[in-house]
Every structure is written in C-alpha cells, then in structure tokens.
Amino acid sequence: MKFMKIGTKPDTFYTQDASRILITDTPNDLVIRINNTNYHLHISSLVPKCGLLRRLCTDSEESDSVTIELNDIPGGADAFELCAKFCYGITINIGAHNLVNALCASKFLRMSDSVEKGNLLPKLESFFTSCVLQGWKDSIVTLQSTAKLPEWCENLGIIRKCIDSIVEKILTPTAEVSWSHTYTRPGYAKRKHRSVPRDWWTEDISDLDLDLFRCVITAARSTFTLPPQLIGEALHVYTCRWLPYFKSKSPSGFSVKENEAALERHRRLVNTVVNMIPADKGSVSESFLLRLVSIASYVGASLTTKTELIRKAGLQLEEATLEDLLLPSHSSSHLHRYDTDLVAAVLESFLMLWRRQSSAHLSSNNSQLIHSIRKVAKLIDSYLQAVAQDVHMPVPKFVSLAETVPDIARESHDRLYKAINIYLKVHPEISKEEKKRLCRSLDCQKLSAEVRAHAVKNERMPLRTVVQALFFDQESSSKGAPSRSESQELVSRGKETPMDEHSMMHKLHLGPAETASIGKAKNILEGGEEKIRSSRDPKKIVGKGTGSEYKHHISRGDR
C-alpha cells in the first residue's frame, strides 16, 4: 500500500488532562475545542494555512487568547490534529486508512492553494488521484473508510472515484492482473502458482460494508461485461463473510440467540443479496439458494425475499444434492430436526414451473422435462429416507411430501418403499391407520421383484400392502418374462420398471419375526390363485371361498 510523508519536524504534542499541548517556547494564543478535547495552539501557525480559522479569528473579539469550537469538523479530533501538525511542519504519514479523514478535515478548514501555496488539501488530492486510485487494495481501504463520512465523501466525489477505480480493475483481463492480494479460500495453496482465477477480486471486496459492496456490484453489472456466474460468486463470498451461521449444517449453528440489532443487520443483508442475484439461471448454485432461504426464515426476512428465493430455488431444484436439502428446522414449536416445510415449498415451486412447461406440449423438450422431474423425484425419495430417521418427524408431514411428487415422476417405487420402511422401523408406536396412510402412495406394481419379495415378508407393513405385493409378485411370476416389445410397452405405460439399484436390498434388514404376516397373506390367497391371476386389479376379484375372503380383506384395508 502507498503512503505519503509530509513534514520533517518531530512530534512534540503531549496530553495533559483533557488537553493536547504543543511543546514550544511561544505561549499559545489559540484554543480549539473539539468535543471533549482542547488544543492549545498558535494563531501564527494555523491561521495563515486555514481559511476557516482566519475568518473565525477575524470575527472574534481582540484578546490575548482566542477560543474556537469545531465540534462539527469531519473526522473529529484525530483529523484536526493531522491538519494542525502539517501547519507546524511536524511529520505526518498519510495512507489509505486516514486519507479520507484528512481530506475532509482539510476541506472543512479551507486549506487550499488559494489560502496559501503548497497547502495540505491539494497535496492530499494529488496523492489520492496519482497513488491511491491506482492501487487495488488502496482503493478498497479508502472506499471502506468513507462509510464514516458518507455525505462529505459523496460531495467530494471520493466514493464515485473509488468505485470507478475498483470496477475498472475488476474488468481488467486476468492476464494483466498482478495477483498480490490475500486469497484465503480453500484451494489457494494448490493454484497460487497457476494463472489468476477469474474471481480473484471477490474476496477483497467482501471487506466492504453492505451499501458500498452493493454500489460496487451494481456498477460492475451495469457494464454488461461480467458473466452472471462471477456476480453470483461475489455474492456467495460476501454472504459467507458476513453471515456467521451460513456455513453451519446443523441446528446447533443457529442455537445462539442474537439480539434484535444483529438480526436486523442480517435481515438487511439477506434482502440486499437476494435483490442483487442475477436473473440468469445458474448464476448462483442451488446449494447457496437453499441455505439462503433457510437463513431468511431464521432472521425473519421479508415475505417478498423468501418468495423470490423459493422461486429461484425451484428453478434449479434438479441440481440439488441430498445434503443441500437437509436444512435445519428453526421452528421453536416443532421438535423435528429438518425443515420439511421449506423443501415442500421449493418442490411446489418446481412443480408449478414444470406443469406450465409441460402444458405447452413442446415435443422437443418433452424428454428433458421427464428426465428433470424424475431426477427430482429420486432426490425427494432420498430426502424422505433421511428425514424418516428423525424420531420426531410427524406422519402428516412425511406423507404430504411423499404425495406431492406426481405419479409420472416415479418410474420405480423402490426408494419410496425404503423410506417408508425406515420410518416404520424408527416409529414402531404409530397406529394402524397411520401405517395405512404412510403406504397410501406406495404402488406395489412399481416395485422391483426383489423389493416386492421384501415387502411380502415385512411384518411392519399393513396387511393390505403385503397382500397387494404378493398378488403382483405371483402375477409377475405366472406371466413369466415378457417379450422385448411387451417390456417396452409396459415401461412406457408405467406398469413395469426395471430396478437400477441391485444393491439396495442388501441395505434393508429384516427382523427375526418379519415373516409372521406372510403366512396369513398366503392363506388368504391359497385356493383363489386362479381368479387372482385373471385380473390386474385385486379389488375386482370375486368368487367363493378364499377368493371372496381376499376381496373382503382388501375392501376392509386390514392392518
């Protein structure tokens, strides 16, 4: 960073009580009061260089000593002391950290060339233009320091000049960038000897306060030169820098109760960042959007902000991973660990867009739309398996999320079956009615042969589900392997789906008593097998003996 040294004399200021006094042989005849500090100085040294003091001393009554109050001087006592030392020829060092205060104070005191040649104000302006604005870090530090004197800096053009300088450097081709700043993010050690990354500037500008950061990003975007992904990366870095719990993946990261001032600050940050996210899909990651909407709920961001975040997250839901969806619940009224309401809202937003696109009947995009919704369905089923392990997860929330996924999205119900089975294991105390409600969305016809075999032997499943699984298992066995053309037709009609996860059954464990209900199911079907095979719908089976008994059990929905 650049520094300017002015003056040659040693510093002889000292503090006595609430006064700053200069050691000199000449008695002081000028007292400058700035809030609680009194400066005992000399008219002969300050008045020739300070136009304001010249006028004030002229207006004051003649006496041995003149006292002037300058409580409104920008930068306060420290800035005034720099100007006073310059008047005495005492050495002062000006850099990006104190330039703004010195500039504003010297402007306030009217220390221009029109008052005396070689005055402080023109020296500072020259240093600002020729040195500070030419440096990357200097421009950022100077811009940051303007936050304490925004009106003065705006009127003097300091803010605009700093922003223009920063944006100009951001737009510089990476081949021409001198990468000498601190870069602390993961991967820096491995890539520091390679070419400069395109996001080299994002970490440094994250030091700025929110309003100044917004001004820099807005100015950079107005050039229409930066890709939306770079803007998104800058927003991501800034959010990580200023939201202390952004990286937390567990509820404990939100356990510390913040005061209202901190929450308001974080609320404002979230609202501002969301407004700056480029409209382009993919400008920020789905992980970033989901984390941000979770934090928006925690800090009480505006409804507009949360709605916009959910909409953006819905647009990119198929890019999410299971880890992205495992967001902690912040509700004090609920004991469950995960925020299923948020995931449900994002899923609804995705489905709304998907239905709108599907209704357009764009044949060229139809296969892509099917692929997209099936990818999301697999993700939601994996999410259901994760939340099923939460002992406090209520049945209605689990069922609601499972049933939100449209039937066309699930080629196979194997993942859904696994989620339900996990839930039944973790929640053995639920009622028969709740078990039936859990299995309501499960289509045994879309289970693979291996999973159907497991369902038939699973004593946790309601009898209705067991019997249906056994029926379709026997029907499949009686028909044998279909021809290739028949297989393609069945797949297209959603009747048969090949299992693509052969290892899943190894992860499903049966208890020693899990075969208890299968005997009863077989007894119901025994003797009525001929009629069962004659129909695809077990509810339409009619007949005498065991066939009628089967119909009776299906209609009752036993266990």
Side-chain angles (χ1 to χ4, degrees), residues 17 85 120 203 217 424:
D17 296 328
K85 287 179 178 178
L120 180 60
E203 189 161 335
I217 294 298
L424 292 173

Side-chain angles (χ1 to χ4, degrees), residues 198 221 226-236 276-289 308-309 311-320 353:
R198 299 180 70 189
R221 289 181 64 178
L226 288 180
Q229 291 74 17
L230 271 182
I231 299 294
E233 178 62 15
L235 297 175
H236 180 243
M276 289 193 290
I277 295 176
D280 309 72
K281 182 180 178 181
S283 58
V284 292
S285 68
E286 178 70 359
S287 176
F288 175 77
L289 290 170
E308 179 63 10
L309 274 172
R311 185 190 70 81
K312 287 180 178 292
L315 287 173
Q316 300 177 204
L317 182 57
E318 61 183 292
E319 300 170 11
L353 176 65

Side-chain angles (χ1 to χ4, degrees), residues 99 107 167 172 175 193 211 272 276 303 324 347 355 391 443:
L99 172 62
K107 183 71 174 179
V167 171
T172 302
H193 298 298
D211 288 329
T272 302
M276 289 193 290
L303 179 60
D324 295 335
L347 177 59
R355 293 187 187 102
V391 294
D443 185 351

Side-chain angles (χ1 to χ4, degrees), residues 49 106 110-117 119-122:
K49 293 181 172 61
S106 61
R110 301 175 192 172
M111 301 178 71
S112 62
D113 271 348
S114 62
V115 175
E116 184 176 278
K117 292 293 184 181
N119 217 337
L120 180 60
L121 180 58

